[in-house]
Amino acid sequence: MTFAQAVTDRTRRLQTRLCVGLDPRLSEYRDLGALRTHTLDVLEAAAPFAACVKPQLAFFEALGLPGFTLLEEVCAQARTLGLPVLLDGKRGDIGTTAAAYAQGWLAGPHAGDALTVNPFLGFATLTPFVEAARANGGAIFVLVKTSNPDQADVQGGGISERVAAEIARLNAQDTGLGDGDYAAVGAVVGATHPGDLARFRDAMPRALLLLPGLGAQGAQAAELAPAFHRGGTGALASASRAVQYASGLDVTASREAARTLRDELNAALA
């Protein structure tokens, strides 16, 4: 299955729209061994309640070579658990550099099934990522309207709407989609902007929406229903710190946090 098919299948089969983020912060642990063990334990504990997992590349990169080794372990364990992997790297560049990022993160040894992508160097820079995602049955999630308060500095004035229109154009080229299928180009729309969700949902009908901001950033599951299509598909609501560090390093608390967020999202769509 493609990434879009896999997360939609988990949404329908397991009744979950939750994307569990992994942000392993070295400052929370006594050493790298403890970080590794806890990160993998949280992944396993939260998996039954997740549609996908989202490792934040910055935290793995900050660990140096051990971080890349752990990332490969996370990806391998996620796939053993049946969880699609969405790498949060917000990559974006021009020409051959963009192509190298696409190769490394969508087809290389550290690759995920999907990758977040920054479009603000121009729409042509998306091409290598789109091509790699389509070739490998993956997906990209293009930044449209991010969850941070100061996003309006560069995403206001109609810019987010222009990016959304480009995503819709790219997905319209995918003529092999069936009814209810989602294309390879998704969009990041912050869960912290609930009043904008319906508009962006309508603007990008074949795009999966990634909704970051649950938990630590203050977004509420009860406000996210407009991001979903009928039947509760089409969006993934993401929580990271609220799951991984729900109560310090208590893995049971992480499991319960994931369960609670899943149930809150389901209740919002009832």
Side-chain angles (χ1 to χ4, degrees):
M1 290 189 285
T2 67
F3 175 87
Q5 289 169 335
V7 296
T8 302
D9 173 70
R10 285 185 71 88
T11 292
R12 290 174 171 150
R13 183 166 45 87
L14 302 181
Q15 285 301 295
T16 179
R17 290 99 183 143
L18 178 65
C19 170
V20 171
L22 293 177
D23 297 3
R25 302 161 185 263
L26 186 56
S27 61
E28 300 291 330
Y29 305 93
R30 65 179 182 273
D31 55 33
L32 277 170
L35 179 151
R36 172 187 175 274
T37 298
H38 180 254
T39 300
L40 293 172
D41 285 350
V42 168
L43 172 59
E44 184 171 5
F49 313 108
C52 68
V53 63
K54 182 175 72 65
Q56 168 52 258
L57 292 183
F59 291 98
F60 293 86
E61 291 169 346
L63 301 173
L65 184 57
F68 285 99
T69 301
L70 176 57
L71 178 63
E72 291 186 355
E73 287 188 88
V74 165
C75 291
Q77 180 168 308
R79 290 179 178 122
T80 297
L81 294 166
L83 272 178
V85 178
L86 196 176
L87 298 178
D88 193 354
K90 300 177 181 68
R91 293 304 194 258
D93 216 310
I94 62 173
T96 55
T97 309
Y101 275 136
Q103 173 67 26
W105 295 117
L106 288 165
H110 305 298
D113 305 301
L115 175 71
T116 57
V117 175
N118 187 336
F120 295 108
L121 276 74
F123 293 153
T125 66
L126 297 178
T127 300
F129 296 102
V130 175
E131 291 176 347
R134 287 173 174 164
N136 292 283
I140 61 171
F141 286 82
V142 180
L143 305 184
V144 172
K145 189 176 181 69
T146 54
S147 57
N148 54 307
D150 51 346
Q151 52 78 31
D153 292 347
V154 293
Q155 296 167 27
I159 299 299
S160 292
E161 288 74 13
R162 288 175 60 190
V163 178
E166 176 63 11
I167 291 170
R169 187 190 72 81
L170 289 168
N171 286 341
Q173 297 173 348
D174 196 341
T175 56
L177 296 177
D179 290 341
D181 287 345
Y182 296 96
V185 184
V188 177
V189 180
T192 50
H193 310 294
D196 296 320
L197 295 179
R199 179 163 54 88
F200 285 118
R201 174 71 286 165
D202 290 344
M204 298 174 285
R206 304 313 282 278
L208 284 173
L209 304 185
L210 176 64
L211 314 173
L214 276 183
Q217 293 187 59
Q220 301 296 316
E223 299 179 317
L224 304 185
F228 294 85
H229 282 134
R230 182 174 297 178
T233 62
L236 300 163
S238 177
S240 301
R241 283 171 285 175
V243 174
Q244 188 165 3
Y245 303 111
S247 180
L249 302 182
D250 184 341
V251 174
T252 300
S254 294
R255 176 183 175 87
E256 292 309 307
R259 185 203 304 269
T260 297
L261 287 166
R262 179 211 55 185
D263 291 348
E264 289 176 351
L265 288 164
N266 289 347
L269 296 169

